[in-house]
Amino acid sequence: MYIGRNAENEPVVYEAFEPERCVKLECFFTAFRAEYDGGYSFEGEIHDFWEMFCVLEGQACVSADERICRLSAGDVIFHKPMELHRFHIENGNPLSVFVLSFDASGPVMKKLENRVLTLEPEQKNCLLRMTELVGAGQQPGEECSAPVLRLKSQPLKFQQFTCLTELFLLSATDSGSQLRPEADPPEALLYREAVRVMHAHMRDWPDVPVIASECGVSPSCLKQVFRKYAGLGVHRYFLTLKIIQASRMLKEGRSVAAIAEELSFSSPNYFSIVYKRETGITPTAYRHR
């Protein structure tokens, strides 16, 4: 409550209204613009923070867990935490992208899960300003975090970039045209079905012939599809799914022993060894972090 006076010098009581933060940027990890030659293939990654991948020029085929999306200039996809994602160029033409990885909180973020958009003019203008702030001084081949470090050394521009990013995220939840996927080719449908089979077998360790049989294809055909869309072998992809599930269970407070048993690792110790090998930290350290 605040007290003031009007033009007649009479006391006036003002009520304060605090805005609700629907989204709040906690931190940035990378922000960069990049160009790739035709035929480029990014082998993929997984991390426990958000990533926004926007195509500026050209076309890209993006894999996000079991989803296959084909993005053109002006399209953007949001990768949620612990989502395995990669991209490659199919048509042989150059590709220009803007990539932003960050951590954020607020109810808006739930709405961005699995979201793929074709940007509207206002959103494109906002993104253009973001790329201008990031691109100032960006050198070819430098670390992906270098533009963020430069912005951090300029507090005014860094706050501008943060506000623009929050505005962009807010806009992306209720505007922009949700990109409708093209009719999936048979290979993409097979990939999706194989991932579904893997999730159904999360409590055991089916080998490649078993997964291929449940999908109605040969092991060699299944391996070829995973090389194209996942950039990983079938067994390696299945292990990655288990690590993702284990990370979720650790966040829920499940014990290492319980997770090892549920995901069919031979022992808690072996699970800890594999988890650290795949993520770089122990299960206990991840849960505490």
Side-chain angles (χ1 to χ4, degrees):
M1 182 182 300
Y2 295 86
I3 306 299
R5 291 185 176 275
N6 60 18
E8 287 74 33
N9 203 32
E10 297 171 335
V12 178
V13 177
Y14 293 92
E15 184 177 356
F17 300 93
E18 184 177 351
E20 180 182 353
R21 297 297 299 272
C22 295
V23 61
K24 179 183 179 183
L25 263 299
E26 306 290 351
C27 62
F28 294 98
F29 298 96
T30 64
F32 61 94
R33 178 171 177 163
E35 284 74 37
Y36 303 99
D37 295 330
Y40 177 82
S41 178
F42 174 61
E43 292 308 311
E45 63 180 357
I46 179 173
H47 41 64
D48 58 357
F49 46 83
W50 285 85
E51 181 175 306
M52 183 183 81
F53 180 90
C54 181
V55 175
L56 303 177
E57 297 177 17
Q59 294 180 320
C61 179
V62 180
S63 304
D65 285 343
E66 75 279 5
R67 296 178 297 137
I68 307 296
C69 306
R70 287 170 173 80
L71 276 59
S72 301
D75 295 338
V76 59
I77 183 171
F78 292 91
H79 297 301
K80 59 184 178 293
M82 303 307 293
E83 180 175 272
L84 179 61
H85 55 276
R86 72 180 295 265
F87 72 90
H88 67 275
I89 304 172
E90 290 183 319
N91 58 14
N93 296 323
L95 174 70
S96 177
V97 299
F98 176 68
V99 181
L100 178 67
S101 60
F102 58 92
D103 201 5
S105 59
V108 156
M109 301 312 300
K110 186 67 177 178
K111 298 180 180 180
L112 291 178
E113 292 183 1
N114 305 324
R115 198 154 177 79
V116 187
L117 300 174
T118 295
L119 300 181
E120 296 180 347
E122 296 81 3
Q123 294 168 320
K124 289 182 179 179
N125 290 335
C126 183
L127 187 71
L128 176 61
R129 180 55 182 151
M130 291 165 63
T131 59
E132 288 174 346
L133 287 169
V134 166
Q138 183 174 351
Q139 302 298 319
E142 70 179 355
E143 292 291 331
C144 298
S145 59
V148 177
L149 290 173
R150 276 195 298 273
L151 281 174
K152 191 174 184 301
S153 67
Q154 306 173 72
L156 180 59
K157 288 187 176 181
F158 197 28
Q159 185 168 349
Q160 289 177 354
F161 183 76
T162 302
C163 292
L164 284 168
T165 303
E166 291 183 344
L167 177 63
F168 187 85
L169 296 178
L170 287 167
S171 175
T173 60
D174 59 3
S175 65
S177 302
Q178 182 76 7
L179 186 64
R180 293 182 178 180
E182 305 171 4
D184 287 324
E187 287 182 332
L189 294 175
L190 170 58
Y191 177 76
R192 184 181 303 163
E193 174 63 13
V195 175
R196 185 196 66 78
V197 169
M198 290 178 179
H199 279 291
H201 282 281
M202 198 62 68
R203 290 176 175 267
D204 52 24
W205 291 96
D207 56 19
V208 176
V210 169
I211 298 173
S213 176
E214 293 198 24
C215 294
V217 297
S218 66
S220 61
C221 178
L222 186 65
K223 291 177 181 178
Q224 182 179 355
V225 166
F226 269 78
R227 282 195 297 269
K228 177 177 180 178
Y229 289 120
L232 297 171
V234 179
H235 176 75
R236 182 76 177 180
Y237 187 92
F238 187 46
L239 175 60
T240 301
L241 289 183
K242 288 200 177 234
I243 294 299
I244 293 171
Q245 180 62 19
S247 298
R248 292 177 180 143
M249 295 167 75
L250 287 167
K251 283 187 175 182
E252 294 169 359
R254 302 283 294 277
S255 69
V256 170
I259 296 172
E261 180 179 2
E262 184 164 334
L263 299 182
S264 296
F265 287 88
S266 59
S267 69
N269 183 58
Y270 179 64
F271 164 67
S272 297
I273 291 172
V274 173
Y275 190 90
K276 183 175 182 180
R277 184 189 70 201
E278 297 298 316
T279 67
I281 61 175
T282 66
T284 304
Y286 178 81
R287 181 169 54 203
H288 290 166
R289 187 180 68 175

